[in-house]
Amino acid sequence: MSSSGSAAALALPPEAISSREGQLAPFGWYAEMRRDRPVDYDPQRQTWDVFRYEDVGRVLDDDGTFTADMTRAEVDVPDEASDGDDGESGQPLGRTMLHTDPPDHERLRGFAEAPFDRNAIRRDRPRFEALTEKLLDRLDDRSRIDLVGDFAEDLPVSIIAELLDVPADRRDRFRNWSKALIAHPDEETRAAYEETRDRQRRAYRELREYFSDLIDERTDGDDLVTLVANEADLDRPERVEFCILVLLAGVISTTSLVTNAVWCFAEHDAIDAVRSGEIDRMQAIEEVLRYRSPEQALRRVAVDDVELAGRQIEAGDIVTVWLGSANRDPDVFDAPDRFRPERHPNPHLAFGKGTHYCLGAPLARVEAEVAIEKLFERFRTIDPDRTDRTPLPTFPYHSLSSLPCDVERADG
């Protein structure tokens, strides 16, 4: 199946879920594919799609057979999915943990395990609570907010800026760069797409220069940039790319998780039960991760010829595993299409599996928990507008571009 092809095609959702409705609810297509074509080749996107929980888990857990190194693919891949040259300045980009396998993966990730583990993140929770309260203070006189633009986007940027110890006088620029990097076109036109991509390239160049300078400034401290600056096993481009990766991966995933949580709780009339503690907040967030996984798919490349669910995959073929489908597999989850905020156990794959299990998973969980707790404390009512839902157009992320809500303060 290997062939050269269009990088753009790989970055697009499958035709079956490319519509607005398909992006909002791809789950019927997942069910059909799990049943009839659990491993299927899409010639337009030049990738094998994998839908069942068992098969998705196998691909993610077998680095020797399915590599994260996209440069080993026999088709062209989008620039943002591969390490190498940035295509514009001619300067080399550092390798990141996302697209490397052991043993190099441990070198690029191992030094950061401690500051991102559950205990370290829990110790930082008071700082996250204070930042969340500060963001909500800006909304005190509002009766209608956009949960995404007014809160969910800013929360992870503020927290990551705190972890990186970005100086206060630079945080506005930091926030602007972050928003530019995850921005999407205002219109579905080629001109709008190119304009957005130009802004993203400019923001990326400026952010690389910023982190490069910041790393030079740091010699002593307990912040993440200082840790990166003092990591002898990383070269300079790798240090810079690690900082950018923390920002990019952390912002869009947490923004989506917080948005999806309010979306799910409102849609299933669970806000009051979560607020009161009748439903455990963390169990409810785990169910959001399963039910509307912020990232719906991941990609790997077959290292050797391999058979998967009776289909023959050739070395160099790209394999797309559908986390959103695996998390609704009826062989693993009872009544998988029902949102059950009290569901336990909940062995979802929203953060992946194996070597590449998301480093930031503990951070994302605590950010979401704090966001929901403080939102529900601050507002007696949160009533999302259900008349117009626009999906996030950044494939393979699954969320909303905006979520207008009528709100009433708890002490109002």
Side-chain angles (χ1 to χ4, degrees), residues 72-83:
R72 300 181 68 172
E74 294 296 330
V75 299
D76 296 329
V77 295
D79 293 340
E80 61 268 25
S82 61
D83 300 310

Side-chain angles (χ1 to χ4, degrees), residues 240-253:
V240 172
E241 290 302 311
F242 179 88
C243 294
I244 294 176
L245 176 61
V246 168
L247 174 62
L248 287 181
V251 170
I252 193 167
S253 58

